[in-house]
Amino acid sequence: MNEAAPSPLLTGVAWSGTDLIVTDPNLIDKRLRRSALSASTSKSMRGCLVRWAGEKLLPRVSDPFAVSELGTSTHAVLEDLYNANAPTRTTDLFAELRDEHSKKQWSLERYQSLPDNLGPEGVPVEFNEWVKNQDRWKSEVDRLGLRTFEIEDPRETVVYKTELPFDGVTIAGGVPAMGYIDRVDIEIVRGEERFVVVDLKTGKQKSAFDLNRYGDDHGDQIRIYYDAIRALLGVAPAAGRIHYTQFGTSREIPLTELALEKTRKDFRAAWDIHNRVTENGRFPAKTGPLCGWCPLVNACPAAAAAGKKASDKLDTPPATAVALGIPTVRTDAIAMGSKEPYAPAPAPLVTAATAARSIAAAPASPPVAPTAEVAPADPFAASAPAPAPIVAPAPAVAPVIAFPVAAAQGAAHGAGDNADPNGTGTPTVTNEQPLFSEGKPWEPTINGRLNGASYSAMGVIGLTQVAGELLVEAGRPLNGQTLDQLTDLLAEVIVTVQKSVRNGDFDWDAGINTRIRGALRTTIETLPLPWDATTEDAWVEWKAKAIKRTRVFVVRAIRLYNLGDTVTATSFSALLPVGVAASAPVAAPVASPSVVAAATPIGVPRVAQPA
């Protein structure tokens, strides 16, 4: 008799495209939906939501040597240390507490409670073998926790509370929050006793470069705790710190109003994302460097498309696609929420027919608030934003962003057009979903919504502003149809020029895109738009000339770069009136390429001239 096939690890879910949809309402209510938001869940909302849902829905296998469980064990030992009388908080007490926890961790009762007596690597072991892991476990806890004595002398620390809980307090302008604060100390600050928030991390501190690029989730956690303590105890802490106990270092967290407001804004955005995905039952995937550690990596369509595989650094490989048992449904299938049938995403996708809307939908990381320095509204201004970091080339056919129906109909106005025909009123948008997300400047989108802080948003919104200004200056009506047509014309010039100098690649957030937009501004000033034309042929001709002129401005700059500091103006004949220039003396012969190359200063690399 054939054995029955094993039950899939996940039921009530399915793949729809690269999204994981949850078709069982009970899974949403009991396993995914949160009544309050924690700092860790807030961080997860900016990452891959497929991974977040998978980790919550998969059966949990206990592994005492997993990074998270070792961290929890080390926290428990340190919590007991700081709950002891101050004079007794020594390394000897740390060792005693570690041994006590070790006996509980590797007890017979715990062994018997494990399914099939699974050991640290997920395989059955005998009890004697199980107990032998104690020494290894102790050394790991020592490695992760003992260097806290290099950060401070625990005997001199005045502890108000360890593992201070907060649940249901409202912060960040109306978001219910929950969590546990590792430690709240009392210190003398400017002559007064004040609270100080301390969080313990067994992981590594981010470098300044990573903090700037990927965000400061550790700092955000402290700032969330700051607001929680103020709401819970009625007094704001004076300071906040992260102790990296594995490395014996500490970091002071900025608690300025600007930093706090940024974190609050991010926290509100995360709560909105959480509510949206748990209502819709649809969890988008985001590929990245951590895909290899995701428990669903072997089944994830997005990971497969990006060539991501399970990391070979994992002690226990993640489940196979067969073991997970997640079916695939049509890409237009709908998921279910917990209370009401799932309402489809608010809008048909805007087609990629026009360059202005063909915006690459790249994954995102945690949002960031605008800094005090505001980018100019005109993207062609001299103080245009700095170019984005180098990014991967956009796909040949860029994904598109879902827009609400009311916004997507701007190019086809009829009698019922409500798109502000004269630019003096307020367009009517009936959809309640937010149009934009907030994130890092180099992240074009977050969970399918255009990141308002991105270089891409600066480019596309700034371009529509320029189109609007040109329409008003020409005395033409400013409405959805005229704005879209002129914006698309300008965008096509930018797209064509950028592809010609980037071997077919195009990104709105590329640094060269900013330079090309600046060149287009000069083109518009020197090649007036054909407002008096009576046929479309004149506009087609203008477009061809504009593409050529804009490209000239960009590629001739390479000649200037190659000259380095050897620039010498020896002839001005080309600047004279045509009649005079024809009879002007012949200019001195141009040096041969070898001579120019020899004159190029050392350290100034030459760049290939464009065709």
Side-chain angles (χ1 to χ4, degrees):
M1 180 181 295
N2 293 330
E3 294 184 3
S7 300
L9 293 175
L10 281 178
T11 58
V13 300
W15 294 113
S16 177
T18 57
D19 292 352
L20 184 72
I21 59 173
V22 180
T23 57
D24 184 349
N26 290 323
L27 290 179
I28 295 225
D29 285 339
K30 296 178 180 179
R31 306 284 291 279
L32 297 175
R33 178 175 280 115
R34 301 291 185 260
S35 59
L37 189 66
S38 67
S40 60
T41 301
S42 173
K43 175 188 174 184
S44 296
M45 290 300 101
R46 274 108 179 138
C48 178
L49 296 179
V50 165
R51 176 174 182 170
W52 178 76
E55 288 176 342
K56 301 302 177 186
L57 296 176
L58 277 172
R60 184 174 180 181
V61 178
S62 178
D63 179 359
F65 292 104
V67 173
S68 59
E69 294 199 35
L70 277 174
T72 299
S73 298
T74 305
H75 273 66
V77 174
L78 289 173
E79 179 187 349
D80 288 351
L81 177 74
Y82 280 90
N83 281 335
N85 290 330
T88 66
R89 299 174 192 157
T90 62
T91 54
D92 289 340
L93 179 60
F94 179 95
E96 292 175 17
L97 295 170
R98 177 208 60 202
D99 290 346
E100 290 179 10
H101 281 271
S102 173
K103 292 176 182 178
K104 296 176 183 177
Q105 174 67 53
W106 303 98
S107 66
L108 176 62
E109 292 76 16
R110 185 174 177 86
Y111 171 78
Q112 292 173 337
S113 70
L114 296 175
D116 301 320
N117 302 130
L118 296 181
E121 277 71 41
V123 295
V125 295
E126 296 296 333
F127 178 66
N128 289 338
E129 293 297 319
W130 163 264
V131 173
K132 288 181 181 178
N133 286 295
Q134 285 191 74
D135 289 340
R136 176 187 168 195
W137 185 88
K138 290 179 185 179
S139 65
E140 287 296 296
V141 172
D142 285 348
R143 179 178 67 86
L144 295 176
L146 260 180
R147 295 187 68 181
T148 193
F149 289 90
E150 298 177 22
I151 300 172
E152 63 184 357
D153 185 345
R155 295 172 299 179
E156 298 177 358
T157 303
V158 179
V159 178
Y160 170 77
K161 181 72 175 177
T162 61
E163 291 297 309
L164 176 67
F166 61 94
D167 192 357
V169 299
T170 301
I171 65 173
V175 180
M178 61 83 60
Y180 290 87
I181 303 173
D182 285 347
R183 223 172 68 211
V184 180
D185 294 346
I186 297 177
E187 295 182 9
I188 304 298
V189 179
R190 290 188 291 276
E192 297 182 357
E193 289 187 343
R194 298 287 302 277
F195 290 131
V196 173
V197 185
V198 177
D199 191 72
L200 309 179
K201 300 291 183 187
T202 53
K204 187 177 180 180
Q205 178 180 340
K206 288 183 180 179
S207 67
F209 175 81
D210 286 344
L211 287 173
N212 181 60
R213 181 168 187 179
Y214 300 113
D216 185 8
D217 52 291
H218 292 173
D220 287 336
Q221 183 175 357
I222 290 293
R223 287 184 281 269
I224 290 168
Y225 291 168
Y226 172 97
D227 277 353
I229 289 176
R230 185 167 60 176
L232 192 67
L233 304 178
V235 179
R241 302 188 189 102
I242 301 285
H243 287 183
Y244 296 93
T245 58
Q246 180 184 173
F247 301 95
T249 60
S250 179
R251 182 164 72 94
E252 196 85 11
I253 301 301
L255 296 177
T256 63
E257 194 58 31
L258 182 64
L260 288 164
E261 277 305 315
K262 169 197 170 298
T263 297
R264 292 164 187 154
K265 185 176 182 181
D266 294 349
F267 202 63
R268 289 193 297 270
W271 184 236
D272 289 342
I273 293 171
H274 164 272
N275 291 336
R276 174 163 54 84
V277 297
T278 53
E279 281 302 313
N280 291 346
R282 182 177 291 267
F283 299 84
K286 172 197 168 188
T287 57
L290 297 180
C291 281
W293 282 262
C294 175
L296 304 187
V297 64
N298 290 327
C300 178
K308 303 290 186 179
K309 297 181 180 180
S311 171
D312 56 7
K313 296 180 181 179
L314 292 170
D315 291 334
T316 305
T320 64
V322 173
L324 289 168
I326 307 174
T328 300
V329 297
R330 302 189 320 271
T331 56
D332 60 346
I334 59 174
M336 294 178 62
S338 59
K339 304 300 182 185
E340 300 292 340
Y342 166 66
L349 292 178
V350 179
T351 65
T354 59
R357 294 193 181 96
S358 297
I359 305 171
S365 20
V368 64
T371 59
E373 184 179 2
V374 180
D378 181 358
F380 301 153
S383 56
I390 296 174
V391 296
V397 179
V400 293
I401 296 175
F403 279 73
V405 175
Q409 293 173 342
H413 297 286
D417 184 11
N418 57 12
D420 184 19
N422 297 310
T424 57
T426 302
T428 302
V429 179
T430 57
N431 193 280
E432 296 180 357
Q433 293 290 346
L435 287 175
F436 295 92
S437 60
E438 288 294 319
K440 292 292 183 184
W442 53 84
E443 298 169 342
T445 65
I446 297 176
N447 292 326
R449 287 190 167 86
L450 180 60
N451 168 17
S454 68
Y455 299 116
S456 292
M458 294 179 194
V460 296
I461 294 175
L463 195 60
T464 59
Q465 288 178 267
V466 170
E469 292 169 3
L470 292 171
L471 287 166
V472 172
E473 289 174 2
R476 298 300 173 89
L478 176 60
N479 56 43
Q481 187 174 19
T482 59
L483 185 61
D484 282 354
Q485 288 188 4
L486 184 54
T487 300
D488 292 353
L489 171 61
L490 301 179
E492 188 174 356
V493 174
I494 294 169
V495 171
T496 303
V497 174
Q498 183 169 336
K499 284 186 174 182
S500 76
V501 299
R502 284 282 300 274
N503 197 26
D505 292 337
F506 176 79
D507 293 294
W508 280 108
D509 59 352
I512 191 61
N513 186 277
T514 306
R515 308 288 88 78
I516 294 171
R517 283 183 271 131
L520 177 58
R521 177 182 181 179
T522 303
T523 295
I524 293 171
E525 292 177 350
T526 59
L527 185 67
L529 291 159
W531 294 113
D532 295 331
T534 56
T535 67
E536 294 188 16
D537 291 342
W539 286 93
V540 173
E541 183 181 355
W542 183 91
K543 179 178 69 173
K545 291 180 178 179
I547 290 172
K548 182 177 181 180
R549 184 167 298 190
T550 303
R551 187 178 188 277
V552 166
F553 290 141
V554 175
V555 300
R556 295 304 294 169
I558 297 177
R559 179 199 67 87
L560 180 60
Y561 177 83
N562 284 337
L563 290 176
D565 62 356
T566 65
V567 179
T568 304
T570 58
S571 175
F572 307 97
S573 61
L575 305 179
L576 298 175
V578 176
V580 176
S583 60
V586 178
V590 179
S592 67
S594 60
V595 174
V596 174
T600 302
I602 296 175
V604 180
R606 289 182 55 77
V607 181
Q609 293 280 4

